[in-house]
Amino acid sequence: MEFSSPASQLSAARRLSNFSELRESPTTWDLVVIGGGVTGAGTALDAASRGMSVLLVEAHDLAFGTSRWSSKLAHGGLRYLSTGHAGVALRSAAERGILMERTAPHLTRALSQVVPLLDSLSLAQRTLPGLGFLAGDMLRRASGTSSETLPRPRFLRPAEVQRLCPTVETKGLRGGLLNVDGQLVDDARLVTALARTAAGYGATVLTYARASAATGESVELRDELDPGAEPVTVAARAVVNATGVWAGELQSDIRVRPSRGTHVVVRSEKLGNPEGALTVPVPGSTSRYCFVLPQELGRCFIGLTDVDQPGEIPDVPDAPEDDVQWVLDVVNRGLGTKLTMDDVAGAYAGLRPLISMEGDGDDTSDLSRDHAILTSENGLITVTGGKLTEYRLMAEETVDKVIERIGGGPGRFHECATKNLPLVGAPGNPAFAKVSGADLIGYPASMVRRFGRETPTVVRSATCDRPLDNVAEGIDITRAEFEFAIRSEGVATVADLLDRRFRLGLIPDDRAAAEPAANELLILAGIEPK
């Protein structure tokens, strides 16, 4: 299966055309994937690149659910090593290397993780992180990830700790421990790149298409942007339920126990514009930490909680004030300049899809982070649990299960190739073979971090006025990027653009400032803002 750059361009018009084709020209798909998060998009890409006919459907927008509420880390799973989940840690380390060196180097970067050695910490909290970092470096080497990608851990002098984390507590600071881990430019951008790459390999991507019923052979879809339209039923040789914490809504015998992870958003200037991720142990624990994570657009994310989310699962989880205060209380133990509620510019919460078994205790932090692939009596295949960093492996194993179900036959489908398959914008992707790193010089650095080798296309394809002007004062996103997201990344609403493609909704003031440009450029593309 060859990659096609035009096919990777998603738009509102293409979505409408795809829905019409489903109604007017019924076909039987090799695979229908329900859920447009990282696991569903990754599964669609794996299957399409093997030569399957694939339909990916999502009830909302791409990365609407859990996949946009992570800590934005591509990490090696040190915590899981410390809690005895060595298999999860090793797989995470291997998948992190694949992301950073082969499939999405343009969407990842190395992040300095700093543990300050403070007299106020217990002896275990000062010594165990160093042992963990050494073990993590062993995992890095075992996974084949270069030390140029992720340098080895080392000891930091107090002055080095302060340079990386300017507002660190200096009273009793004896130095620090440095570990280098992986960080995503943004989790929602990764999902968008996966879906677009899948489309480039022939998959049909359909957002705002709710699966109201599903079996292993059919899915009933409702058009969420046209509530008056009759539902359409599509036939398939296999159907995968990749809806994460909502998996039980389609397969009632699956018990997913959501764990809420709350993050606080603070302007970077409040913390001295840190370059490193300050890492503070949770009181009484030697395996849990709160992190101050430097981000794009002058922000830091601070998190995170790990608590049970009882009751009905919301589409967009709240970040309770108690969670926010808990995060501040923990991280303030490592800060000389304490943060208060007045410093909080925003907050968000994500729900982890943890697999719950009979006899599991009350503490979600003790539940396994492993994933599961289960088949119901009606043939529906469900994949859930796991970690964002492991999405590719989860997808590979899921498609292997699909082939077992439908039968591959000699030469019918290709072997999995996603370990070495560059996403749109990545070096090595066929559409950008003629674009070198030198060709990106002169473009805004933040644009290059978001679009990689596709950056020149983003600018050249712009039809709006002042394409390189920012969408609002102080926001490092250009009007050309907004237009490209609308015309090529499947944007259908203002929220798609502001809250997922560029994450401006994490700070309400930023969202309000950019909304006029969003409305203007949606209208330019023939889409009524809503």
Side-chain angles (χ1 to χ4, degrees):
M1 177 69 69
E2 295 293 327
F3 177 84
S4 166
S5 184
S8 73
Q9 309 302 308
L10 305 179
S11 66
R14 183 175 177 184
R15 176 194 173 277
L16 190 62
S17 173
N18 287 337
F19 237 124
S20 296
E21 288 178 10
L22 290 182
R23 296 180 188 281
E24 297 167 8
S25 304
T27 187
T28 298
W29 301 83
D30 287 328
L31 176 63
V32 175
V33 181
I34 305 170
V38 71
T39 306
T43 300
L45 172 57
D46 187 293
S49 63
R50 294 200 206 192
M52 292 186 185
S53 60
V54 178
L55 173 63
L56 172 65
V57 298
E58 162 59 46
H60 302 285
D61 180 30
L62 295 170
F64 181 85
T66 303
S67 293
R68 65 168 158 147
W69 302 127
S70 76
S71 298
K72 328 301 177 203
L73 294 175
H75 60 75
L78 272 183
R79 176 184 169 192
Y80 314 118
L81 191 64
S82 67
T83 55
H85 297 107
V88 178
L90 182 57
R91 292 196 304 268
S92 293
E95 294 300 321
R96 174 188 62 186
I98 290 169
L99 259 176
M100 298 187 73
E101 295 185 335
R102 284 172 268 173
T103 61
H106 63 306
L107 294 178
T108 55
R109 69 182 185 109
L111 175 69
S112 296
Q113 182 181 353
V114 180
V115 178
L117 298 178
L118 295 163
D119 288 345
S120 58
L121 300 179
S122 70
L123 178 61
Q125 289 175 332
R126 294 196 303 271
T127 57
L128 289 179
L131 296 175
F133 290 167
L134 291 174
D137 193 55
M138 292 176 63
L139 289 176
R140 174 196 63 77
R141 284 182 283 172
S143 68
T145 304
S146 167
S147 60
E148 293 184 4
T149 301
L150 293 171
R152 296 180 176 90
R154 63 184 179 90
F155 176 79
L156 297 174
R157 297 187 304 275
E160 291 179 292
V161 175
Q162 289 180 265
R163 178 181 63 79
L164 291 169
C165 305
T167 55
V168 67
E169 175 64 78
T170 56
K171 183 179 179 182
L173 179 65
R174 306 297 180 183
L177 300 171
L178 174 71
N179 181 59
V180 183
D181 212 337
Q183 184 179 38
L184 293 166
V185 168
D186 185 72
D187 44 11
R189 290 219 64 79
L190 173 63
V191 176
T192 302
L194 285 166
R196 288 188 56 214
T197 308
Y201 280 98
T204 294
V205 178
L206 204 55
T207 57
Y208 294 97
R210 181 177 296 278
S212 51
T215 69
E217 297 179 343
S218 67
V219 180
E220 182 182 83
L221 298 175
R222 296 182 180 275
D223 186 345
E224 295 291 278
L225 297 183
D226 186 4
E230 289 294 317
V232 57
T233 299
V234 296
R237 295 179 178 87
V239 178
V240 166
N241 171 17
T243 55
V245 290
W246 296 275
E249 295 180 7
L250 288 175
Q251 188 168 338
S252 59
D253 55 344
I254 296 291
R255 187 183 176 207
V256 178
R257 186 166 160 190
S259 164
R260 186 176 67 244
T262 295
H263 296 77
V264 177
V265 185
V266 174
R267 301 280 188 187
S268 295
E269 60 191 26
K270 294 285 184 182
L271 294 159
N273 297 307
E275 297 177 22
L278 185 68
T279 304
V280 182
V282 171
S285 175
T286 57
S287 62
R288 289 188 61 203
Y289 300 87
C290 275
F291 306 91
V292 178
L293 300 167
Q295 299 288 327
E296 297 285 298
L297 303 177
R299 304 166 174 178
C300 286
F301 298 160
I302 309 173
L304 74 166
T305 62
D306 194 340
V307 296
D308 200 27
Q309 173 80 23
E312 186 175 347
I313 301 172
D315 282 345
V316 179
D318 291 327
E321 187 171 316
D322 287 349
D323 283 14
V324 172
Q325 189 62 60
W326 182 88
V327 169
L328 293 180
D329 288 345
V330 172
V331 80
N332 277 338
R333 298 175 73 236
L335 291 174
T337 304
K338 309 302 182 186
L339 295 173
T340 71
M341 283 290 191
D342 290 339
D343 297 315
V344 175
Y348 67 91
L351 300 181
R352 306 174 185 89
L354 305 181
I355 305 297
S356 183
M357 308 298 289
E358 197 71 34
D360 282 333
D362 294 334
D363 191 347
T364 56
S365 65
D366 293 332
L367 294 182
S368 172
R369 265 52 179 176
D370 216 337
H371 62 274
I373 303 170
L374 307 166
T375 304
S376 66
E377 291 184 1
N378 66 10
L380 182 66
I381 298 171
T382 294
V383 53
T384 191
K387 299 291 296 177
L388 183 147
T389 310
E390 290 188 63
Y391 82 86
R392 192 212 60 82
L393 178 64
M394 293 167 63
E396 177 183 351
E397 293 179 355
T398 301
V399 177
D400 286 345
K401 182 74 70 174
V402 167
I403 292 175
E404 286 179 18
R405 172 177 169 78
I406 67 178
R412 183 178 179 191
F413 301 123
H414 307 306
E415 294 294 320
C416 176
T418 54
K419 283 186 179 179
N420 298 292
L421 193 154
L423 305 184
V424 290
N429 183 286
F432 313 105
K434 296 181 180 180
V435 181
S436 69
D439 294 324
L440 305 179
I441 296 173
Y443 291 99
S446 59
M447 184 189 296
V448 173
R449 286 192 293 270
R450 286 186 283 266
F451 292 94
R453 301 297 169 94
E454 198 167 30
T455 297
T457 301
V458 172
V459 176
R460 286 198 301 262
S461 65
T463 63
C464 62
D465 295 333
R466 300 170 286 111
L468 292 180
D469 280 8
N470 288 345
V471 295
E473 185 178 355
I475 296 177
D476 194 14
I477 299 168
T478 65
R479 290 163 55 84
E481 292 172 84
F482 264 23
E483 183 180 348
F484 185 83
I486 294 166
R487 296 187 185 276
S488 300
E489 294 189 334
V491 165
T493 71
V494 173
D496 294 349
L497 186 62
L498 298 180
D499 298 338
R500 286 170 287 280
R501 299 303 177 277
F502 296 100
R503 313 314 300 281
L504 290 168
L506 293 176
I507 296 182
D509 288 349
D510 288 352
R511 191 187 199 281
E515 190 164 358
N519 290 335
E520 174 195 341
L521 294 169
L522 281 164
I523 291 170
L524 178 66
I527 301 174
E528 180 182 352
K530 54 186 174 182

